[in-house]
Amino acid sequence: MNKNLACNHCELRSGCRGVVFGEGNPDSPVLFVGEGPGQTEDDMGRPFVGRAGELLNQMLTEVGFRRENVYITNIVKCRPPGNRTPSPDEMERCLPWLRKQYAILKPRIMVLMGLAATCGILDKDMKMNRCRGRWFRRGDIQILPIYHPAAVLRNSDWREICVADLRLVKQVCDDS
Ligand code: URA
């Protein structure tokens, strides 16, 4: 399966176990994009299955989403060594895969979890405290940056903010 997938767009593939492509409902109107697989995700070949993933699942449930009904992926598909943040160059080189994903999935809404996904997709100079909770539009897609669940694990004050942002996503989903 994904352990056999090859990619030579950047160096990350040579340092990880497998490609964590993404998972979820391909008919979902919402595509969630994180930073990159961590150790647990690399071991299991699935996105957001470690502690940050557990928190994401809880917050999704809290606002009325079910994890299996949305689609979840990352801006880079291979685990960066030591779970470091992917470099702008690595994100740029991996972007063709994400572009293919949204060409196939055709989401109406994209939720960018954390600064890496936000800078990689919207603008490299974005600052989380200025853009989270603000809607952007690229073509037909509405885009909402939110705090990364791993950042929420480190700062529990952000949980409420993150849940409120996810509630916005649910509302837009239900209204359209
Ligand atoms: N953090 C991410 O950004 N992605 C994952 O898949 C897991 C943790």
Side-chain angles (χ1 to χ4, degrees):
M1 42 166 257
N2 58 15
K3 292 198 173 47
N4 297 325
L5 289 181
C7 179
N8 56 10
H9 289 200
C10 78
E11 298 299 315
L12 292 180
R13 180 67 189 95
S14 58
C16 67
R17 288 186 75 185
V19 176
V20 180
F21 202 65
E23 68 175 23
N25 179 354
D27 296 321
S28 170
V30 198
L31 174 63
F32 286 84
V33 183
E35 178 176 310
Q39 172 85 63
T40 318
E41 288 76 22
D42 190 33
D43 288 343
M44 296 184 62
R46 299 175 55 207
F48 282 94
V49 286
R51 283 184 62 228
E54 272 171 36
L55 177 60
L56 176 64
N57 295 350
Q58 282 169 18
M59 293 190 295
L60 287 174
T61 307
E62 225 167 290
V63 304
F65 279 121
R66 291 163 61 125
R67 177 186 166 116
E68 57 274 28
N69 283 345
V70 300
Y71 199 95
I72 303 176
T73 188
N74 284 299
I75 188 154
V76 298
K77 314 299 189 208
C78 295
R79 180 191 177 208
N83 294 348
R84 65 165 169 75
T85 304
S87 69
D89 182 60
E90 287 159 351
M91 292 195 285
E92 186 64 36
R93 285 168 186 267
C94 205
L95 263 185
W97 297 118
L98 184 63
R99 291 205 183 97
K100 282 193 181 131
Q101 283 177 305
Y102 55 72
I104 293 167
L105 300 167
K106 298 190 176 55
R108 286 184 279 115
I109 300 164
M110 186 149 54
V111 179
L112 305 178
M113 297 182 281
L115 189 63
T118 301
C119 291
I121 289 170
L122 285 177
D123 183 326
K124 63 176 178 31
D125 296 323
M126 285 280 176
K127 299 278 177 282
M128 236 25 233
N129 59 354
R130 291 215 214 111
C131 69
R132 66 126 284 280
R134 260 181 65 199
W135 288 100
F136 295 80
R137 182 177 271 280
R138 293 287 182 277
D140 291 338
I141 306 187
Q142 287 184 275
I143 302 178
L144 189 73
I146 67 169
Y147 286 134
H148 192 289
V152 178
L153 280 175
R154 291 190 298 269
N155 184 347
S156 56
D157 290 350
W158 288 354
R159 194 184 195 285
E160 223 173 287
I161 298 171
C162 197
V163 169
D165 290 343
L166 288 170
R167 234 181 265 291
L168 280 180
V169 177
K170 183 72 170 79
Q171 259 166 22
V172 171
C173 242
D174 290 348
D175 291 348
S176 50

